[in-house]
Amino acid sequence: MKNFKIKNDYKNFVKGLLSLNYLVIAPKYENGILKFSKIKNAAEILSPSEYINTVSSTKEYFFPQTEPVIKFTFEGKEIFLKDVEIGKKPKVVLGLRPCDAASFSILDDIFQYEYKDEFYFTRREKTIIIGAACESNDESCFCTTTGLAPDSSQGADLFIEKNNEEEYFLRAVTEKGERLVEQLIAEVEELEEEPKKNPLYEKIEKQIRKKIDLIEAKKWLDNNFENEKWEELSSQCLSCGSCAYLCPTCHCFDIVDEVNYNSGVRRKNWDACQFDLFTLHSSGHNPRDTKAKRYRQRVMHKFKYYADRFDKTLCTGCGRCIRACPVNIDIYEVVKEFAPLVEQN
Amino acid sequence: MNSISEIAKKLLDENRVSAVVGYSIGSLPNKTKTVIVKSSQQAEKLIFNNLCVNNLAIYLTKSFRLTTQKPVAVVMKGCDVKSVTGLIQEKQIEREQVFIIGVKCNGVSEDGKNLSPKCYSCKLQTPKMYDILVGEEEEKNIEFKNPFSDVEEFEKKSLDERWNFWMNELEKCVKCYACRQVCPLCYCEKCIVDKTVPRWIEPHTSKSSNLSWHITRAFHLAGRCTGCGECERACHHNIPLSLLNKKMAKVVYDNFNYQAGLDDKAKSPLADFKFQDKEDFIR
Amino acid sequence: MEEKILTSQFEPKIASFVCTWCTYTGADLAGTSRLKYEPNVRIIRLPCTGRIDYNLIIKAFENGADGILVSGCHPNDCHYSSGNFYARRRFIVFRELLQFIGIDVRRVQFAWVSAAEGAKWAKLVNKFTSEIKDLGQFTNYQKIKRDIFLEEAVI
Ligand code: SF4
Ligand code: SF4
Ligand code: SF4
Ligand code: SF4
Ligand code: FES
């Protein structure tokens, strides 16, 4: 795949994108938090060096907190169904860190497992993902454990990186990405040679929390569905759900009908395994009736069940759940409880 | 004077409490970790420092049920004890069910740098109610700021400005209800948002259903919220929940001369009335 | 922000939550006494003002009410002796909360109307209806209500 140099600065490149009539979504400070938001003009854009990561992930643009799936009206005894339209405008999501970009290759699997979720995939197909390598990290990041690195482009269509002369360039990762760059020829220029690696990325990789051996972790999980550790690890959890709501890979939802006297809508709303109501049956029975069982579900789903089914980890090491947890339940520390660190030379 | 871990060890060894809830070193430099210590071997984990911002009264209600057989010991700052007072007032727990390890506090910080906003109006650096007190340092003087100054500032805005402000802020809410989960006074076994027949507040996010939730949260806590700030701390979307809470506290103070969490015999102001309550707005 | 629709063509929707013992009976009296009053008010009968949950008010706004009138027995006349005293406190606080959020409290009014005060009820309704006509449609609230049937997907 080709590489392209950004001719002027990053902002001009974004200007070019906006002029192509894409809905551009990128990290932006809005009402006091850094969040992926719609960019109206290039001046609002933050360059990859200006942030570590956003508070919430980009999943809301593919799998929103609430989503109507079907609408209906009643007339007498008859019910009429009406399909829901999905936003049509092509989108570019820009500036995702490797841990967010990688979340798509993970979510794609579950959203077409046995049944293809059209809502997710319609949006997915209309969207181009432009990742950006990390130029800093914090104490929560642990992407190396999940097989990523500050400069891994997995899941992205295009990837922004700095070469060893501190100039930004674009790496085309997929055909889709390459086609987009070709439309931006005024802003970019194809590079003949593979750019030289900037040493910064290696340096950051070393600062990140040490890599845990997830193969060993899975072995432990395979044998320890019943273990008193689950109780111990989750006893102080407040069931606030922040961990799941902010996670780029958590994808549980709850289906709810909202009805008026003559019309209604069926919705998909986010759910979280730490909630007391999670998997509560209408009979009153709940197979996961304790915090320990729900926390076990969280860890098992991420590091065992998903690995069994798709050979992937349902975690990208973004650290959002760690930053957000009000009682400091740290998933990295939890996994480290039952697996060794990988020896590094 | 004994340290927290020594006290905890003793309480557990003597079998006087079912558990000790306290703080330990966190995994991040600016956080402490909440721990529920059940055996005396683990008691040495317990610490107290200026990062101990959490209000541990939360562990007295909800699904924790730590107090069912024996009392539970909880490490508490003066402000946290207010929540216990509230819970006793509302008959959620009895005084004997909780062993308060009170700590003298010189202010706490959420980020390791700045003093938490709640500390600026604190008059309880030494708790009002405790079973044992720790921390022998001198009480440092914390600069006192009028807790209602931001409410007063906000009220100067026009109606439309206020409406637009809240619409922008509340639009961010993702209805995770973390604000409810961390609140020691939000102890309802079934919250109104989880009730489906009838559905008062829809679980989807929209400006109107978010507004309903926030009116509900603020109103249900009017006269009960002790200002511990946990809800705002838990809200990862930085919604200024304390502003609403403080407004409620101010209304209750101005009209009924009542402050939450100070008197465990007092009646909650909205579960009470006086014949001479104002009614100039009633036609 | 609020668009005023010409008073002559704007017929406000007013929801009225009343207690069954006093105001509802009072309104009935207004009817049997053939007192004519504005037809904009839809009456919802509840046992006591103490039962009037603020959620009813919010739901009414969500469903397009332009004004809300809450009414019950005079102090010391409550059928359940103190329901209206609790309600009075609740409304002191609730009004302030609405105001703080930016809702014009002139749209939410409270009254004491006894079973004998049919004439007071008729006058009150007329006055309040004309006040709401002056304030115009409550577009602020109506705009934020997600129309669950018409709504287009956001993204
Ligand atoms: S589990 Fe935590 S660290 Fe892993 S992807 Fe989700 S939010 Fe990020
Ligand atoms: S963020 Fe922490 S307290 Fe909240 S549900 Fe997750 S693990 Fe529990
Ligand atoms: S914690 Fe914040 S985002 Fe979550 S429900 Fe409360 S206000 Fe909304
Ligand atoms: S509403 Fe917020 S500030 Fe008040 S008691 Fe609950 S958590 Fe603390
Ligand atoms: S019965 Fe009329 S207000 Fe209580």
Side-chain angles (χ1 to χ4, degrees), chain A residues 275-292:
Chain A
F275 289 163
D276 296 339
L277 296 185
F278 185 70
T279 60
L280 176 65
H281 300 177
S282 52
S283 67
H285 171 69
N286 192 344
R288 298 187 187 87
D289 55 353
T290 61
K291 221 173 287 263

Side-chain angles (χ1 to χ4, degrees), chain B residues 173-179 213-214 234-237 239 241:
Chain B
C173 174
V174 290
K175 292 261 180 89
C176 63
Y177 302 129
C179 44
W213 161 237
H214 286 278
C235 179
H236 28 76
H237 281 72
I239 297 173
L241 300 171

